[in-house]
Amino acid sequence: MAYLERTSETMGHGVVAARSVREIADTPQARTQRHGQHHVVFYEGDAAERIYELQDGIVMLYKLLPDGRRQVVEILTRGMIFGTAGGPRYDVSAETLTPVRLAVHERREVDASAVLQSHVAKCLMAQMEGLHEHAMLLGRKSAMERVASYFMRMVPNRGGEGCAGPVSEACDPHDLVLNMTRQEIADYLGLTIETVSRVISELKRRGVIRLERQDRIHVTRVCGLCQLTGIH
Amino acid sequence: MAYLERTSETMGHGVVAARSVREIADTPQARTQRHGQHHVVFYEGDAAERIYELQDGIVMLYKLLPDGRRQVVEILTRGMIFGTAGGPRYDVSAETLTPVRLAVHERREVDASAVLQSHVAKCLMAQMEGLHEHAMLLGRKSAMERVASYFMRMVPNRGGEGCAGPVSEACDPHDLVLNMTRQEIADYLGLTIETVSRVISELKRRGVIRLERQDRIHVTRVCGLCQLTGIH
DNA sequence: CGACATTTTGACCTAATTCAAGCATCGTGG
DNA sequence: CCACGATGCTTGAATTAGGTCAAAATGTCG
């Protein structure tokens, strides 16, 4: 557990003390990997020999159809796990969206360690809820609801059910950074790039958001955005 | 099974958790529950106090939006686990599609047992792949591809990638039972009931399937159906 | 048999896609 | 520092897959 658990010094936002360690040591336990943006950690179909915990940064998991259609199935943030597999091969590809720091465990290590498995179970239980939510989004929400939900994901204390008060403190503006291209967003939301763009423009038009830059969004009215997610 | 089955069927989606099955026994280990068809094991929003393993039968997990839109997020078969939660409440409702036999574990039992957690981890890793596959279906496949994929799920040794040979032994016909109404299928596939019906009619017209009954399908050409799933 | 529920079919409509330009934005090298 | 491609983003017009609404048909069961 010690190695999967985030140590207090790393809890802060990407502080990183000088320790220019690429691999802390050859601990039989976890080792740490670092990767830059747009690095593919593994491909769908690769032998599933390692399990990863994301210590810092963002990773996306996606699947491809032979004709090139892509679906981003999960977006992972700090503390989440990936690389788990039911069979001998990965069912998705994993690609970094930002520079990342990963804790890496050999599959057999995990198979042999009750502590690790316990941790994996806990993480997967939580992550599964995200997948359920995403299935609802993909199967039943309109383009506007999908984009609004996507933005709300990135607002801390996002109005999950208990967003109640429409004019309360939750209504103050909020800034967020996308870390994804329009194409990646589209592939995550099950839309085309054009539709994503159009919906964003519509949100600007309605005064709900403002674009500081392509990938930096100022949410003028968080509650207004939340109202558009379909969960109210 | 007979007792109290009514209780939780008090309608009102998710609102009140009227379960009172908890007093069956105080077995520290797993106990077994049986339920008939269309029984709701728990509602979205209920306190997540138990984890279930499906020993026999079929269960579906679904989420609802406040306006009534429903998305079936997972269909569970023998050996699969449900009722896991990241937080204190279930994020989905669980309803039986057939009579079922369930192994029930108190949440705290699981929290205290390395063996159980190990088992849960294993199951969730496998089930997660199903959710990924489903996200691909919901986000990127056409109505025809969705229905074809849905039917293929129920063909044993379904052509997952290695379906290669188009005229091989895999091409022989196959019978399957749906266990779901058109509405349930539609809610699983992210379509309307009319679209599901139309696609099924189209498959009949093309001679790929034949309806023995509403819920019994004879797949005349398994390979033909497989070709329509989008994975080739 | 007859009443109800589910499924199918038809006609029409709309949200989202597709195709095709135009625009920003950004990094590079002159 | 600015011109220049390159890349990614936005916008418009036309198309379409799937949804909606409204019967009709089929199945189910007392």
PDB file of all heavy atoms in Angstrom, chain B residues 2 19 23-24 31 33 39 45 62 64 87 91 93 101-102 111 128 138 149 159 161 167 172 182 188 226-227 230:
ATOM      1  N   ALA B   2     -40.414 -15.089  -1.713  1.00  0.00           N
ATOM      2  CA  ALA B   2     -41.797 -14.640  -1.646  1.00  0.00           C
ATOM      3  C   ALA B   2     -41.922 -13.408  -0.753  1.00  0.00           C
ATOM      4  O   ALA B   2     -42.520 -12.419  -1.128  1.00  0.00           O
ATOM      5  CB  ALA B   2     -42.686 -15.745  -1.111  1.00  0.00           C
ATOM      6  N   ARG B  19     -36.289  -1.456   1.365  1.00  0.00           N
ATOM      7  CA  ARG B  19     -35.816  -2.811   1.567  1.00  0.00           C
ATOM      8  C   ARG B  19     -35.961  -3.220   3.015  1.00  0.00           C
ATOM      9  O   ARG B  19     -35.678  -2.463   3.925  1.00  0.00           O
ATOM     10  CB  ARG B  19     -34.340  -2.911   1.200  1.00  0.00           C
ATOM     11  CG  ARG B  19     -33.897  -4.309   0.807  1.00  0.00           C
ATOM     12  CD  ARG B  19     -33.921  -4.472  -0.678  1.00  0.00           C
ATOM     13  NE  ARG B  19     -34.578  -3.370  -1.325  1.00  0.00           N
ATOM     14  CZ  ARG B  19     -34.170  -2.130  -1.262  1.00  0.00           C
ATOM     15  NH1 ARG B  19     -33.132  -1.819  -0.566  1.00  0.00           N
ATOM     16  NH2 ARG B  19     -34.817  -1.212  -1.891  1.00  0.00           N
ATOM     17  N   GLU B  23     -33.250  -8.787   7.573  1.00  0.00           N
ATOM     18  CA  GLU B  23     -33.330  -9.631   8.756  1.00  0.00           C
ATOM     19  C   GLU B  23     -33.353 -11.129   8.464  1.00  0.00           C
ATOM     20  O   GLU B  23     -33.777 -11.904   9.285  1.00  0.00           O
ATOM     21  CB  GLU B  23     -34.546  -9.244   9.596  1.00  0.00           C
ATOM     22  CG  GLU B  23     -35.822  -9.032   8.833  1.00  0.00           C
ATOM     23  CD  GLU B  23     -35.929  -7.610   8.291  1.00  0.00           C
ATOM     24  OE1 GLU B  23     -35.037  -6.802   8.619  1.00  0.00           O
ATOM     25  OE2 GLU B  23     -36.864  -7.338   7.532  1.00  0.00           O
ATOM     26  N   ILE B  24     -32.950 -11.523   7.306  1.00  0.00           N
ATOM     27  CA  ILE B  24     -33.008 -12.942   6.992  1.00  0.00           C
ATOM     28  C   ILE B  24     -32.159 -13.773   7.946  1.00  0.00           C
ATOM     29  O   ILE B  24     -32.598 -14.768   8.477  1.00  0.00           O
ATOM     30  CB  ILE B  24     -32.515 -13.222   5.561  1.00  0.00           C
ATOM     31  CG1 ILE B  24     -33.493 -12.588   4.575  1.00  0.00           C
ATOM     32  CG2 ILE B  24     -32.418 -14.710   5.309  1.00  0.00           C
ATOM     33  CD1 ILE B  24     -33.150 -12.849   3.160  1.00  0.00           C
ATOM     34  N   ARG B  31     -24.892 -14.877   2.519  1.00  0.00           N
ATOM     35  CA  ARG B  31     -26.142 -15.612   2.530  1.00  0.00           C
ATOM     36  C   ARG B  31     -26.703 -15.517   1.118  1.00  0.00           C
ATOM     37  O   ARG B  31     -26.213 -14.731   0.292  1.00  0.00           O
ATOM     38  CB  ARG B  31     -27.096 -15.041   3.558  1.00  0.00           C
ATOM     39  CG  ARG B  31     -27.462 -13.615   3.347  1.00  0.00           C
ATOM     40  CD  ARG B  31     -28.431 -13.154   4.438  1.00  0.00           C
ATOM     41  NE  ARG B  31     -29.122 -11.986   3.981  1.00  0.00           N
ATOM     42  CZ  ARG B  31     -28.576 -10.753   3.972  1.00  0.00           C
ATOM     43  NH1 ARG B  31     -27.349 -10.586   4.423  1.00  0.00           N
ATOM     44  NH2 ARG B  31     -29.249  -9.732   3.507  1.00  0.00           N
ATOM     45  N   GLN B  33     -29.874 -15.015  -1.568  1.00  0.00           N
ATOM     46  CA  GLN B  33     -31.211 -14.470  -1.791  1.00  0.00           C
ATOM     47  C   GLN B  33     -31.730 -14.998  -3.110  1.00  0.00           C
ATOM     48  O   GLN B  33     -30.970 -15.198  -4.042  1.00  0.00           O
ATOM     49  CB  GLN B  33     -31.165 -12.944  -1.908  1.00  0.00           C
ATOM     50  CG  GLN B  33     -31.221 -12.193  -0.621  1.00  0.00           C
ATOM     51  CD  GLN B  33     -31.231 -10.679  -0.852  1.00  0.00           C
ATOM     52  OE1 GLN B  33     -31.428 -10.216  -1.972  1.00  0.00           O
ATOM     53  NE2 GLN B  33     -31.011  -9.942   0.227  1.00  0.00           N
ATOM     54  N   HIS B  39     -37.747  -7.893 -10.169  1.00  0.00           N
ATOM     55  CA  HIS B  39     -37.603  -7.463  -8.785  1.00  0.00           C
ATOM     56  C   HIS B  39     -36.465  -6.449  -8.698  1.00  0.00           C
ATOM     57  O   HIS B  39     -35.399  -6.651  -9.273  1.00  0.00           O
ATOM     58  CB  HIS B  39     -37.295  -8.670  -7.900  1.00  0.00           C
ATOM     59  CG  HIS B  39     -36.973  -8.285  -6.483  1.00  0.00           C
ATOM     60  ND1 HIS B  39     -37.956  -8.052  -5.553  1.00  0.00           N
ATOM     61  CD2 HIS B  39     -35.803  -8.067  -5.857  1.00  0.00           C
ATOM     62  CE1 HIS B  39     -37.403  -7.715  -4.401  1.00  0.00           C
ATOM     63  NE2 HIS B  39     -36.081  -7.716  -4.558  1.00  0.00           N
ATOM     64  N   GLY B  45     -29.404   5.648  -5.168  1.00  0.00           N
ATOM     65  CA  GLY B  45     -29.606   6.551  -4.037  1.00  0.00           C
ATOM     66  C   GLY B  45     -29.745   5.836  -2.700  1.00  0.00           C
ATOM     67  O   GLY B  45     -29.569   6.443  -1.651  1.00  0.00           O
ATOM     68  N   TYR B  62     -29.343   0.249 -14.031  1.00  0.00           N
ATOM     69  CA  TYR B  62     -29.706   1.422 -14.817  1.00  0.00           C
ATOM     70  C   TYR B  62     -29.733   2.686 -13.996  1.00  0.00           C
ATOM     71  O   TYR B  62     -29.814   2.657 -12.778  1.00  0.00           O
ATOM     72  CB  TYR B  62     -31.067   1.216 -15.496  1.00  0.00           C
ATOM     73  CG  TYR B  62     -32.218   1.023 -14.541  1.00  0.00           C
ATOM     74  CD1 TYR B  62     -32.889   2.119 -13.994  1.00  0.00           C
ATOM     75  CD2 TYR B  62     -32.644  -0.246 -14.194  1.00  0.00           C
ATOM     76  CE1 TYR B  62     -33.936   1.948 -13.115  1.00  0.00           C
ATOM     77  CE2 TYR B  62     -33.693  -0.428 -13.313  1.00  0.00           C
ATOM     78  CZ  TYR B  62     -34.337   0.678 -12.777  1.00  0.00           C
ATOM     79  OH  TYR B  62     -35.374   0.496 -11.899  1.00  0.00           O
ATOM     80  N   LEU B  64     -31.416   6.800 -14.005  1.00  0.00           N
ATOM     81  CA  LEU B  64     -32.518   7.618 -14.523  1.00  0.00           C
ATOM     82  C   LEU B  64     -32.153   9.090 -14.445  1.00  0.00           C
ATOM     83  O   LEU B  64     -31.458   9.518 -13.527  1.00  0.00           O
ATOM     84  CB  LEU B  64     -33.782   7.387 -13.698  1.00  0.00           C
ATOM     85  CG  LEU B  64     -34.478   6.041 -13.854  1.00  0.00           C
ATOM     86  CD1 LEU B  64     -35.522   5.868 -12.772  1.00  0.00           C
ATOM     87  CD2 LEU B  64     -35.116   5.925 -15.230  1.00  0.00           C
ATOM     88  N   GLY B  87     -18.968   5.727  -3.069  1.00  0.00           N
ATOM     89  CA  GLY B  87     -19.431   6.524  -1.932  1.00  0.00           C
ATOM     90  C   GLY B  87     -20.400   5.743  -1.070  1.00  0.00           C
ATOM     91  O   GLY B  87     -20.420   4.520  -1.097  1.00  0.00           O
ATOM     92  N   ASP B  91     -25.117   4.132  -7.081  1.00  0.00           N
ATOM     93  CA  ASP B  91     -25.227   5.103  -8.170  1.00  0.00           C
ATOM     94  C   ASP B  91     -26.168   4.627  -9.266  1.00  0.00           C
ATOM     95  O   ASP B  91     -26.395   5.326 -10.241  1.00  0.00           O
ATOM     96  CB  ASP B  91     -23.845   5.369  -8.764  1.00  0.00           C
ATOM     97  CG  ASP B  91     -23.308   4.168  -9.527  1.00  0.00           C
ATOM     98  OD1 ASP B  91     -23.486   3.030  -9.041  1.00  0.00           O
ATOM     99  OD2 ASP B  91     -22.721   4.350 -10.605  1.00  0.00           O
ATOM    100  N   SER B  93     -29.713   1.699 -10.141  1.00  0.00           N
ATOM    101  CA  SER B  93     -30.709   0.768  -9.634  1.00  0.00           C
ATOM    102  C   SER B  93     -30.417  -0.602 -10.215  1.00  0.00           C
ATOM    103  O   SER B  93     -29.880  -0.704 -11.314  1.00  0.00           O
ATOM    104  CB  SER B  93     -32.112   1.200 -10.055  1.00  0.00           C
ATOM    105  OG  SER B  93     -32.402   2.492  -9.575  1.00  0.00           O
ATOM    106  N   ARG B 101     -30.549 -15.942  -8.345  1.00  0.00           N
ATOM    107  CA  ARG B 101     -30.003 -16.362  -7.061  1.00  0.00           C
ATOM    108  C   ARG B 101     -28.801 -15.466  -6.795  1.00  0.00           C
ATOM    109  O   ARG B 101     -27.923 -15.330  -7.647  1.00  0.00           O
ATOM    110  CB  ARG B 101     -29.576 -17.833  -7.140  1.00  0.00           C
ATOM    111  CG  ARG B 101     -29.384 -18.527  -5.821  1.00  0.00           C
ATOM    112  CD  ARG B 101     -29.541 -20.055  -5.999  1.00  0.00           C
ATOM    113  NE  ARG B 101     -28.910 -20.501  -7.239  1.00  0.00           N
ATOM    114  CZ  ARG B 101     -27.627 -20.896  -7.313  1.00  0.00           C
ATOM    115  NH1 ARG B 101     -26.863 -20.910  -6.238  1.00  0.00           N
ATOM    116  NH2 ARG B 101     -27.119 -21.305  -8.453  1.00  0.00           N
ATOM    117  N   LEU B 102     -28.772 -14.844  -5.634  1.00  0.00           N
ATOM    118  CA  LEU B 102     -27.717 -13.889  -5.317  1.00  0.00           C
ATOM    119  C   LEU B 102     -26.957 -14.294  -4.063  1.00  0.00           C
ATOM    120  O   LEU B 102     -27.563 -14.736  -3.093  1.00  0.00           O
ATOM    121  CB  LEU B 102     -28.311 -12.501  -5.054  1.00  0.00           C
ATOM    122  CG  LEU B 102     -29.171 -11.852  -6.128  1.00  0.00           C
ATOM    123  CD1 LEU B 102     -29.739 -10.543  -5.616  1.00  0.00           C
ATOM    124  CD2 LEU B 102     -28.350 -11.639  -7.389  1.00  0.00           C
ATOM    125  N   ASP B 111     -15.195  -5.153   3.425  1.00  0.00           N
ATOM    126  CA  ASP B 111     -14.114  -4.251   3.828  1.00  0.00           C
ATOM    127  C   ASP B 111     -13.111  -4.969   4.726  1.00  0.00           C
ATOM    128  O   ASP B 111     -11.930  -4.615   4.763  1.00  0.00           O
ATOM    129  CB  ASP B 111     -14.684  -3.034   4.571  1.00  0.00           C
ATOM    130  CG  ASP B 111     -15.400  -2.090   3.608  1.00  0.00           C
ATOM    131  OD1 ASP B 111     -15.155  -2.194   2.392  1.00  0.00           O
ATOM    132  OD2 ASP B 111     -16.214  -1.273   4.080  1.00  0.00           O
ATOM    133  N   MET B 128     -15.239  -4.178 -16.101  1.00  0.00           N
ATOM    134  CA  MET B 128     -14.874  -2.865 -16.619  1.00  0.00           C
ATOM    135  C   MET B 128     -14.692  -2.916 -18.143  1.00  0.00           C
ATOM    136  O   MET B 128     -15.037  -1.986 -18.855  1.00  0.00           O
ATOM    137  CB  MET B 128     -13.581  -2.428 -15.943  1.00  0.00           C
ATOM    138  CG  MET B 128     -13.353  -0.963 -15.995  1.00  0.00           C
ATOM    139  SD  MET B 128     -12.518  -0.428 -14.493  1.00  0.00           S
ATOM    140  CE  MET B 128     -13.803   0.560 -13.752  1.00  0.00           C
ATOM    141  N   LEU B 138     -22.266   2.958 -27.436  1.00  0.00           N
ATOM    142  CA  LEU B 138     -23.160   4.110 -27.245  1.00  0.00           C
ATOM    143  C   LEU B 138     -22.638   5.368 -27.927  1.00  0.00           C
ATOM    144  O   LEU B 138     -23.408   6.167 -28.449  1.00  0.00           O
ATOM    145  CB  LEU B 138     -23.343   4.388 -25.758  1.00  0.00           C
ATOM    146  CG  LEU B 138     -24.096   3.323 -24.961  1.00  0.00           C
ATOM    147  CD1 LEU B 138     -24.036   3.637 -23.468  1.00  0.00           C
ATOM    148  CD2 LEU B 138     -25.547   3.232 -25.434  1.00  0.00           C
ATOM    149  N   SER B 149     -24.542  -5.895 -32.357  1.00  0.00           N
ATOM    150  CA  SER B 149     -23.614  -6.154 -31.249  1.00  0.00           C
ATOM    151  C   SER B 149     -24.357  -6.779 -30.067  1.00  0.00           C
ATOM    152  O   SER B 149     -23.847  -7.693 -29.408  1.00  0.00           O
ATOM    153  CB  SER B 149     -22.956  -4.849 -30.785  1.00  0.00           C
ATOM    154  OG  SER B 149     -22.241  -4.237 -31.836  1.00  0.00           O
ATOM    155  N   GLY B 159     -17.646 -13.587 -32.009  1.00  0.00           N
ATOM    156  CA  GLY B 159     -16.465 -13.197 -32.757  1.00  0.00           C
ATOM    157  C   GLY B 159     -15.750 -11.979 -32.250  1.00  0.00           C
ATOM    158  O   GLY B 159     -15.682 -10.971 -32.940  1.00  0.00           O
ATOM    159  N   GLU B 161     -13.038 -10.060 -32.280  1.00  0.00           N
ATOM    160  CA  GLU B 161     -11.797  -9.893 -33.041  1.00  0.00           C
ATOM    161  C   GLU B 161     -11.493 -11.135 -33.863  1.00  0.00           C
ATOM    162  O   GLU B 161     -11.434 -11.089 -35.076  1.00  0.00           O
ATOM    163  CB  GLU B 161     -10.605  -9.610 -32.108  1.00  0.00           C
ATOM    164  CG  GLU B 161     -10.858  -8.539 -31.069  1.00  0.00           C
ATOM    165  CD  GLU B 161     -11.163  -7.195 -31.719  1.00  0.00           C
ATOM    166  OE1 GLU B 161     -10.642  -6.910 -32.797  1.00  0.00           O
ATOM    167  OE2 GLU B 161     -11.953  -6.435 -31.133  1.00  0.00           O
ATOM    168  N   VAL B 167     -16.728 -18.015 -43.386  1.00  0.00           N
ATOM    169  CA  VAL B 167     -17.553 -19.136 -43.824  1.00  0.00           C
ATOM    170  C   VAL B 167     -17.281 -20.379 -42.970  1.00  0.00           C
ATOM    171  O   VAL B 167     -17.705 -21.468 -43.288  1.00  0.00           O
ATOM    172  CB  VAL B 167     -17.295 -19.467 -45.309  1.00  0.00           C
ATOM    173  CG1 VAL B 167     -18.451 -20.260 -45.880  1.00  0.00           C
ATOM    174  CG2 VAL B 167     -17.083 -18.190 -46.114  1.00  0.00           C
ATOM    175  N   ASP B 172     -22.682 -21.300 -38.517  1.00  0.00           N
ATOM    176  CA  ASP B 172     -23.925 -22.028 -38.353  1.00  0.00           C
ATOM    177  C   ASP B 172     -24.913 -21.198 -37.546  1.00  0.00           C
ATOM    178  O   ASP B 172     -24.538 -20.323 -36.786  1.00  0.00           O
ATOM    179  CB  ASP B 172     -23.661 -23.376 -37.678  1.00  0.00           C
ATOM    180  CG  ASP B 172     -22.718 -23.236 -36.515  1.00  0.00           C
ATOM    181  OD1 ASP B 172     -22.587 -22.110 -35.988  1.00  0.00           O
ATOM    182  OD2 ASP B 172     -22.112 -24.227 -36.135  1.00  0.00           O
ATOM    183  N   ARG B 182     -38.540  -4.761 -25.636  1.00  0.00           N
ATOM    184  CA  ARG B 182     -37.973  -3.814 -26.597  1.00  0.00           C
ATOM    185  C   ARG B 182     -37.560  -2.519 -25.895  1.00  0.00           C
ATOM    186  O   ARG B 182     -36.564  -1.902 -26.242  1.00  0.00           O
ATOM    187  CB  ARG B 182     -38.996  -3.488 -27.693  1.00  0.00           C
ATOM    188  CG  ARG B 182     -39.368  -4.674 -28.558  1.00  0.00           C
ATOM    189  CD  ARG B 182     -38.243  -5.097 -29.461  1.00  0.00           C
ATOM    190  NE  ARG B 182     -38.685  -6.123 -30.398  1.00  0.00           N
ATOM    191  CZ  ARG B 182     -38.647  -7.420 -30.152  1.00  0.00           C
ATOM    192  NH1 ARG B 182     -38.170  -7.865 -29.002  1.00  0.00           N
ATOM    193  NH2 ARG B 182     -39.064  -8.300 -31.058  1.00  0.00           N
ATOM    194  N   TYR B 188     -30.951   0.099 -23.118  1.00  0.00           N
ATOM    195  CA  TYR B 188     -29.583  -0.408 -23.030  1.00  0.00           C
ATOM    196  C   TYR B 188     -28.745   0.119 -24.189  1.00  0.00           C
ATOM    197  O   TYR B 188     -27.595   0.497 -24.013  1.00  0.00           O
ATOM    198  CB  TYR B 188     -29.608  -1.939 -23.053  1.00  0.00           C
ATOM    199  CG  TYR B 188     -28.248  -2.597 -22.989  1.00  0.00           C
ATOM    200  CD1 TYR B 188     -27.360  -2.327 -21.955  1.00  0.00           C
ATOM    201  CD2 TYR B 188     -27.857  -3.504 -23.965  1.00  0.00           C
ATOM    202  CE1 TYR B 188     -26.111  -2.942 -21.904  1.00  0.00           C
ATOM    203  CE2 TYR B 188     -26.616  -4.125 -23.915  1.00  0.00           C
ATOM    204  CZ  TYR B 188     -25.746  -3.836 -22.890  1.00  0.00           C
ATOM    205  OH  TYR B 188     -24.509  -4.438 -22.835  1.00  0.00           O
ATOM    206  N   CYS B 226     -22.469 -10.851 -37.393  1.00  0.00           N
ATOM    207  CA  CYS B 226     -21.205 -10.368 -36.837  1.00  0.00           C
ATOM    208  C   CYS B 226     -20.598  -9.270 -37.697  1.00  0.00           C
ATOM    209  O   CYS B 226     -20.016  -8.316 -37.206  1.00  0.00           O
ATOM    210  CB  CYS B 226     -20.237 -11.538 -36.704  1.00  0.00           C
ATOM    211  SG  CYS B 226     -18.809 -11.210 -35.679  1.00  0.00           S
ATOM    212  N   GLN B 227     -20.779  -9.408 -39.007  1.00  0.00           N
ATOM    213  CA  GLN B 227     -20.257  -8.406 -39.933  1.00  0.00           C
ATOM    214  C   GLN B 227     -20.904  -7.041 -39.714  1.00  0.00           C
ATOM    215  O   GLN B 227     -20.370  -6.015 -40.118  1.00  0.00           O
ATOM    216  CB  GLN B 227     -20.529  -8.839 -41.386  1.00  0.00           C
ATOM    217  CG  GLN B 227     -19.772 -10.050 -41.846  1.00  0.00           C
ATOM    218  CD  GLN B 227     -18.270  -9.860 -41.809  1.00  0.00           C
ATOM    219  OE1 GLN B 227     -17.583 -10.641 -41.171  1.00  0.00           O
ATOM    220  NE2 GLN B 227     -17.767  -8.812 -42.462  1.00  0.00           N
ATOM    221  N   GLY B 230     -19.745  -3.785 -36.612  1.00  0.00           N
ATOM    222  CA  GLY B 230     -18.821  -2.655 -36.693  1.00  0.00           C
ATOM    223  C   GLY B 230     -17.401  -2.999 -36.282  1.00  0.00           C
ATOM    224  O   GLY B 230     -16.494  -2.191 -36.431  1.00  0.00           O
TER     225      GLY B 230
END
